[in-house]
Amino acid sequence: MKIKVRNPIVEIDGDEMTRIMWDLVKEYLILPYLNVDLKYYDLHIKKRDETDDKITEDAARAILSHGVGVKCATITPTEERVQEYNLKKAWKSPNATIRTILGGTVFREPILVKNIVPYVRSWKKPIVIGRHAYGDVYSNVEMRIQRKGKVKLLFQPEEGEEVAETTVFQFSGPGIVQAIHNLDDSIEEFARTCFRYALERKLDLWFSAKDTISKTYDGHFRSIFEKEYRTNWETHFRQAGLSYNFSLIDDAAARVVRSEGGILWALKNYDGDVMSDMIASACGSLAMMTSVLVSPKGCYEYEAAHGTVQRHYYRYLKGEETSTNPTAIIFAWSGALKKRGELDNTQDVIAFAENLERAVRETIESGIMTGDIIGMAESIPSKKLVSTQEFIKAISIRLEDCYK
């Protein structure tokens, strides 16, 4: 008998090789065991184009409605992708659209297994990235400058105040310009969420920015974090034996490679995007990292931290066998199921998600691996390179043993 998931989960399908793996994961690891109402949204790039990207907004609002979503990787189209898929335009990043509607913080954590030692030998514990999921370059406004002229930044109040303006740059010839923004409410919620998460996970919290250069923008982030810590968290952190510290992002990047890990590293949107990939790669692979968006609106979106694996998809289309790693996709599903189980108080759903994660780890630790991680795994007699489908089937065999 299948396990009943009491309330719906929003399922957001995606693109290219991750879409292929998505279907395999559902076929072998999810649907045989669960009776679950999946509210399905297809964010394939052509579907987004057909709906003028409205389907992306609909998917985000569905997560608001149902509380938990799980998302496949999606294409953010460049001009080359516009030509490849014959799109109307280069639509915005689906993740940026979803995060703008949901708000919140993205937490990314490497998936550690016993037989893969991080490239950074000092790392003994996970380094969790807390990435602000609003604003910055992902919601930017930019312009191509074609000739001489002055660019100004202007604020026009809705009522009562004088217009404020400042010169951005006096162009003597062609160039480019960009404007980004953020909101106090969003930064404050980012800080609160990071302090709460660090305390729950018993992790020291670092926050890094570049306020020596960006005195207003980054400086405001720093001051909000400092105020939040002093006002609401300092006593709790000290009682738990935890610390909070701010450092410039370049200093923190140098320190993190000498640390033992066991920290939550809070970063602005773009910084978190870059550093989470670095942490994932150093711990084995981009396919070995979890990602969850924790929204202040009380909902959660789980996804793989990597992209659509375009190169493998082109090989797949030629009929070639690929050894693409679906681990992060599987953990996106298990994360969503655990959270659904927690919210619904259904222990059997939580137990299934934990069994699924255990089956993945045990498969890798037994020596059955995909190409991205086998090279850095410890050498054992049973180490075997397998295809994507073989890897998923090996996991399914271990999962079956839990329910015989």
Side-chain angles (χ1 to χ4, degrees):
M1 182 178 293
K2 292 185 179 182
I3 299 165
K4 173 64 177 175
V5 180
R6 186 177 298 165
N7 286 298
I9 292 175
V10 178
E11 177 194 355
I12 302 176
D13 211 342
D15 291 302
E16 298 189 320
M17 196 64 207
T18 47
R19 187 183 181 94
I20 305 303
M21 293 190 290
W22 192 264
D23 286 342
L24 291 171
V25 168
K26 285 174 62 181
E27 178 184 355
Y28 287 100
L29 304 177
I30 304 299
L31 297 183
Y33 300 95
L34 301 177
N35 180 2
V36 55
D37 180 8
L38 296 171
K39 303 298 185 184
Y40 181 80
Y41 291 83
D42 188 355
L43 262 61
H44 185 279
I45 183 61
K46 290 296 288 183
K47 291 290 185 181
R48 285 180 270 146
D49 194 60
E50 289 169 10
T51 64
D52 291 338
D53 212 26
K54 183 178 181 298
I55 194 168
T56 307
E57 298 176 7
D58 291 344
R61 293 191 179 95
I63 296 174
L64 285 175
S65 176
H66 297 289
V68 179
V70 58
K71 179 183 175 295
C72 183
T74 45
I75 293 169
T76 299
T78 59
E79 287 304 321
E80 290 78 10
R81 296 293 213 161
V82 170
Q83 298 299 318
E84 178 182 358
Y85 284 95
N86 192 28
L87 305 178
K88 299 171 186 173
K89 59 184 282 189
W91 301 102
K92 289 185 177 180
S93 158
N95 284 343
T97 299
I98 292 169
R99 290 166 189 164
T100 297
I101 292 171
L102 300 184
T105 302
V106 174
F107 292 104
R108 291 184 169 173
E109 179 173 350
I111 301 163
L112 302 182
V113 292
K114 294 176 182 177
N115 54 337
I116 298 179
V117 179
Y119 278 114
V120 181
R121 299 304 180 186
S122 64
W123 289 352
K124 309 300 181 188
K125 305 170 188 175
I127 297 170
V128 182
I129 298 293
R131 173 187 170 188
H132 187 211
Y134 181 82
D136 289 351
V137 69
Y138 302 88
S139 301
N140 75 342
V141 176
E142 52 192 23
M143 184 185 296
R144 175 76 166 104
I145 305 301
Q146 299 288 0
R147 54 189 180 275
K148 290 182 180 181
K150 183 182 293 185
V151 173
K152 290 188 174 184
L153 192 63
L154 180 146
F155 171 69
Q156 179 138 18
E158 289 192 354
E159 56 183 30
E161 301 175 30
E162 293 183 3
V163 170
E165 66 176 67
T166 185
T167 297
V168 175
F169 192 69
Q170 177 71 54
F171 283 86
S172 58
I176 49 178
V177 67
Q178 178 186 87
I180 61 175
H181 78 279
N182 232 294
L183 300 173
D184 282 15
D185 287 349
S186 181
I187 302 168
E188 289 163 1
E189 184 57 41
F190 172 46
R192 278 193 295 273
T193 305
C194 287
F195 283 114
R196 186 184 305 115
Y197 194 89
L199 191 61
E200 289 173 355
R201 293 288 307 277
K202 301 294 187 288
L203 298 170
D204 291 333
L205 176 61
W206 296 8
F207 173 62
S208 302
K210 193 70 172 178
D211 66 318
T212 51
I213 301 299
S214 176
K215 292 178 171 59
T216 300
Y217 195 95
D218 284 27
H220 198 52
F221 270 85
R222 178 180 181 177
S223 64
I224 285 175
F225 263 78
E226 187 69 25
K227 181 180 178 181
E228 179 67 24
Y229 177 63
R230 299 299 178 197
T231 304
N232 298 315
W233 301 96
E234 185 171 15
T235 300
H236 298 297
F237 265 55
R238 286 182 176 176
Q239 289 173 347
L242 301 174
S243 65
Y244 163 70
N245 66 79
F246 169 84
S247 59
L248 296 174
I249 190 167
D250 44 348
D251 292 341
R255 288 172 53 213
V256 78
V257 297
R258 297 186 178 186
S259 76
E260 291 187 354
I263 61 170
L264 170 58
W265 191 8
L267 295 161
K268 295 187 299 145
N269 205 347
Y270 178 78
D271 297 338
D273 192 2
V274 174
M275 293 302 179
S276 64
D277 280 9
M278 183 271 289
I279 298 293
S281 182
C283 288
S285 165
L286 294 180
M288 297 291 288
M289 177 166 270
T290 64
S291 181
V292 55
L293 173 65
V294 179
S295 169
K297 298 171 184 176
C299 56
Y300 305 82
E301 181 217 25
Y302 294 81
E303 63 175 341
H306 58 72
T308 60
V309 201
Q310 178 185 6
R311 180 169 54 89
H312 285 203
Y313 180 62
Y314 292 158
R315 288 172 52 194
Y316 170 84
L317 291 178
K318 293 177 183 177
E320 298 176 11
E321 192 175 72
T322 69
S323 182
T324 320
N325 190 346
T327 296
I329 291 174
I330 298 169
F331 272 67
W333 277 99
S334 66
L337 288 164
K338 273 194 284 190
K339 180 54 66 175
R340 185 76 275 168
E342 290 170 9
L343 296 175
D344 297 344
N345 194 26
T346 48
Q347 294 303 312
D348 53 350
V349 176
I350 297 171
F352 171 80
E354 291 172 345
N355 286 334
L356 177 56
E357 291 180 357
R358 188 179 305 112
V360 176
R361 285 193 168 96
E362 289 178 353
T363 299
I364 296 171
E365 289 168 359
S366 74
I368 298 173
M369 286 173 264
T370 48
D372 58 322
I373 56 176
I374 196 166
M376 67 180 297
E378 292 180 351
S379 181
I380 57 176
S382 60
K383 191 160 78 166
K384 181 183 179 182
L385 175 64
V386 295
S387 69
T388 305
Q389 192 158 356
E390 288 170 336
F391 183 69
I392 292 172
K393 286 183 177 179
I395 295 167
S396 72
I397 292 171
R398 291 181 182 275
L399 187 59
E400 283 176 17
D401 290 340
C402 298
Y403 293 96
K404 284 181 178 178

